[in-house]
Amino acid sequence: MKTYSLLCAAAFLAVILAGCAGVDARREQRWAAFDPLRPDPEFRLLPDRPLLKFSRSGNRSAAGERAEEAAPLVWKSAELDSRGLEGTASRFCREKFELYMIARTGFRGKLRARALNERREEVGRAVTTLERNPDEAGWVEFRFPERFAPEEVKVIAVELAE
């Protein structure tokens, strides 16, 4: 009986250790799965953007259209903060992206919006000229090229284009 108890304890211990063997590998896989959604350190996430919501089933409505996609995350370069530009709300349509900008100290220059897919690969780019007086605000519009796939866009990074 004592041998049987020892064998059961050894088998239980082996099962526990086998389950713990791949913990680090599974943790790395989970980390890598969400890595494309983490902003670069030189960008900061605008606070008004919701988190991305992924649908595993690819919900389709009765008309056969895909359920409404989540809005892309918006990253704003730290350079814009140093130049006195604040971005608040944003809107993303099929061919354009709009960002509400407040110029605290005034600004004259070009801004670039880069559309990135889930692997942080650039899939579109738009540049616009911006002239704002101190404490002036308004919507800034970025127009993407014609052959642009908005369903691929997960992140929009806004930065200075000098």
Side-chain angles (χ1 to χ4, degrees):
M1 186 70 173
K2 195 171 193 173
T3 307
Y4 178 73
S5 298
L6 246 129
L7 285 174
C8 287
F12 180 72
L13 187 61
V15 168
I16 296 292
L17 290 176
C20 296
V23 169
D24 291 334
R26 288 192 300 271
R27 185 177 301 129
E28 288 297 320
Q29 287 175 342
R30 284 193 304 269
W31 184 262
F34 289 102
D35 191 43
L37 302 178
R38 289 189 182 89
D40 288 334
E42 64 191 48
F43 288 93
R44 72 177 181 81
L45 189 63
L46 288 179
D48 70 329
R49 303 310 308 159
L51 294 175
L52 289 176
K53 295 177 185 172
F54 294 104
S55 172
R56 292 178 190 239
S57 62
N59 293 339
R60 296 197 177 268
S61 63
E65 294 180 13
R66 188 165 180 129
E68 185 176 323
E69 297 286 328
L73 297 171
V74 179
W75 296 348
K76 191 182 106 179
S77 173
E79 294 174 330
L80 297 179
D81 289 335
S82 67
R83 300 282 298 267
L85 283 175
E86 242 180 69
T88 57
S90 64
R91 295 185 283 213
F92 181 72
C93 301
R94 291 196 61 76
E95 71 281 344
K96 69 180 179 178
F97 168 69
E98 295 178 340
L99 181 64
Y100 192 80
M101 299 292 290
I102 304 168
R104 297 292 178 200
T105 60
F107 179 81
R108 177 169 288 147
K110 289 186 176 185
L111 297 178
R112 175 177 42 238
R114 294 184 302 127
L116 309 173
N117 65 11
E118 61 188 20
R119 293 182 306 271
R120 288 190 189 165
E121 298 169 340
E122 187 173 321
V123 294
R125 181 182 290 202
V127 178
T128 189
T129 304
L130 178 65
E131 290 187 27
R132 293 275 194 263
N133 294 324
D135 208 30
E136 187 178 6
W139 289 97
V140 179
E141 185 176 290
F142 298 92
R143 289 235 173 240
F144 291 105
E146 291 177 21
R147 296 188 327 147
F148 177 65
E151 60 275 355
E152 290 182 24
V153 177
K154 301 297 180 199
V155 176
I156 296 183
V158 180
E159 58 196 0
L160 290 176
E162 296 186 84

